[in-house]
């Protein structure tokens, strides 16, 4: 069996889990991990019996695919280098800091004819997958994603750090284009927003209220949907879907 040669660029809080999962897949050969901290790179590499690097460039041309889990400010530079070499890339969310950077990565992937996947993992939460399979036409959606301040992802704000998950889910669930957006946010600990409340109006008439906060005491990740077919509530932490729908007798 030919194994897929892969590497993980950035093995900090999240990247080390990418390395762990890839190392455990029988059809993957984890050929190396990269981190700007030599100690962190060596620690994760030793854990999975692979090579440690502090620079990603030596791995270009040595891998069949790569997982990019660096801070967001480095996503474009790292992913672009592998895409130009014709290497498929999984890049953690958010894809980039700016729309222009994201558009360039998409163009590079199309030119090279290779996959470019963004790590919107909530798309694959079993509760959301269950809801997405059901015939439902959302009219009002409320999404909340709150958590305590961790000191991570300080190069971006709460929109790209947290709310990006729910924006992706809304686009997948509701469909159509967004007609209007109004939002308010506040920066508490630094130069980027730490909490945001947004209202999105879709062309099909659906309205969504979305809040994201990284200064809350308790973690909360939930999505609630009201539709003609009934009510749906998702608890992403516990991977639980709650449905409230009228039965046939009540409909009659």
């Amino acid at each position: 069996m030919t194994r897929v040669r892969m590497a993980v660029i950035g093995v900090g809080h999240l990247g080390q889990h990418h390395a762990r999962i890839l190392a455990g897949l029988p059809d993957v050969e984890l050929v190396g991990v990269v981190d700007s901290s030599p100690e962190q790179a060596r620690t994760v590499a030793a854990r999975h019996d692979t090579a440690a690097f502090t620079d990603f460039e030596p791995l270009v041309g040595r891998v069949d695919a790569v997982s990019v889990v660096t801070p967001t400010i480095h996503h474009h530079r790292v992913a672009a280098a592998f895409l130009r070499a014709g290497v498929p890339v999984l890049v953690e969310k958010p894809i980039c800091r700016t729309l222009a950077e994201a558009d360039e990565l998409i163009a590079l992937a199309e030119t090279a004819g290779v996959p470019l996947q963004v790590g919107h993992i909530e798309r694959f939460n079993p509760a959301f997958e269950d809801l997405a399979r059901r015939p439902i036409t959302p009219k009002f959606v409320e999404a909340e994603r709150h958590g305590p301040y961790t000191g991570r992802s300080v190069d971006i704000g709460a929109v790209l750090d947290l709310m990006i998950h729910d924006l992706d889910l809304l686009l997948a669930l509701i469909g159509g284009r967004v007609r209007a957006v109004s939002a308010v946010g506040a920066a508490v600990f630094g130069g980027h927003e730490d909490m945001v409340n947004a209202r999105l109006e879709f062309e099909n008439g659906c309205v969504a209220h979305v809040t994201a906060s990284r200064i809350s005491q308790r973690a909360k990740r939930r999505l609630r949907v009201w539709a003609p077919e009934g009510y749906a509530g998702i608890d992403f932490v516990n991977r639980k879907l709650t449905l409230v729908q009228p039965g046939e007798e009540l409909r009659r």
Side-chain angles (χ1 to χ4, degrees), residues 32 57 118 138 235:
E57 291 183 351
V118 185
D235 178 346

Side-chain angles (χ1 to χ4, degrees), residues 58-225:
L59 286 165
V60 178
R62 293 180 54 187
V63 294
D64 303 311
V66 68
S67 185
V68 178
V69 204
T70 65
T72 305
I73 57 173
H74 303 304
H75 282 184
H76 177 267
R77 180 175 65 91
V78 177
F82 285 98
L83 291 172
R84 290 191 182 101
V87 177
V89 173
L90 168 65
V91 59
E92 261 301 337
K93 60 82 195 170
I95 181 173
C96 290
R97 292 176 298 174
T98 67
L99 183 61
E101 288 183 344
D103 285 341
E104 184 176 352
L105 290 189
I106 293 170
L108 287 172
E110 290 176 345
T111 299
V114 297
L116 169 63
Q117 172 74 36
V118 185
H120 287 294
I121 194 170
E122 292 287 37
R123 281 272 194 112
F124 307 99
N125 188 299
F128 182 79
E129 288 185 318
D130 190 358
L131 177 61
R133 287 192 293 265
R134 298 175 181 272
I136 191 167
T137 308
K139 293 298 182 183
F140 179 72
V141 182
E142 188 175 71
E144 298 174 291
R145 192 166 295 264
H146 301 170
Y149 189 73
T150 63
R152 299 192 303 272
S153 300
V154 294
D155 57 325
I156 55 175
V159 172
L160 291 179
D161 183 20
L162 299 175
M163 188 180 284
I164 193 71
H165 278 300
D166 295 310
L167 296 177
D168 176 64
L169 296 178
L170 289 175
L171 293 174
L173 186 64
I174 298 171
R177 298 177 63 86
V178 176
R179 180 178 62 194
V181 177
S182 59
V184 62
V188 178
F189 292 121
H192 299 282
E193 75 281 357
D194 294 305
M195 66 75 55
V196 176
N197 180 280
R199 173 187 170 93
L200 285 70
E201 298 179 16
F202 288 77
E203 288 183 348
N204 61 11
C206 183
V207 173
H209 282 175
V210 192
T211 63
S213 171
R214 54 188 185 188
I215 54 173
S216 301
Q217 289 184 315
R218 290 182 295 274
K220 180 192 296 185
R221 292 187 290 157
R222 68 177 185 177
L223 183 76
R224 298 191 289 174
V225 180

Side-chain angles (χ1 to χ4, degrees), residues 4-11 15 18-19 22 28-34 50-51 53 55-56 58-60 62-69 78 82 87-90:
V4 179
R5 300 171 302 165
M6 293 193 66
V8 179
I9 317 301
V11 285
H18 281 242
L22 290 175
V28 171
E29 177 189 357
L30 184 62
V31 300
V33 296
V34 181
T50 189
F53 300 84
D55 187 359
F56 70 88
L59 286 165
V60 178
R62 293 180 54 187
V63 294
D64 303 311
V66 68
S67 185
V68 178
V69 204
V78 177
F82 285 98
V87 177
V89 173
L90 168 65

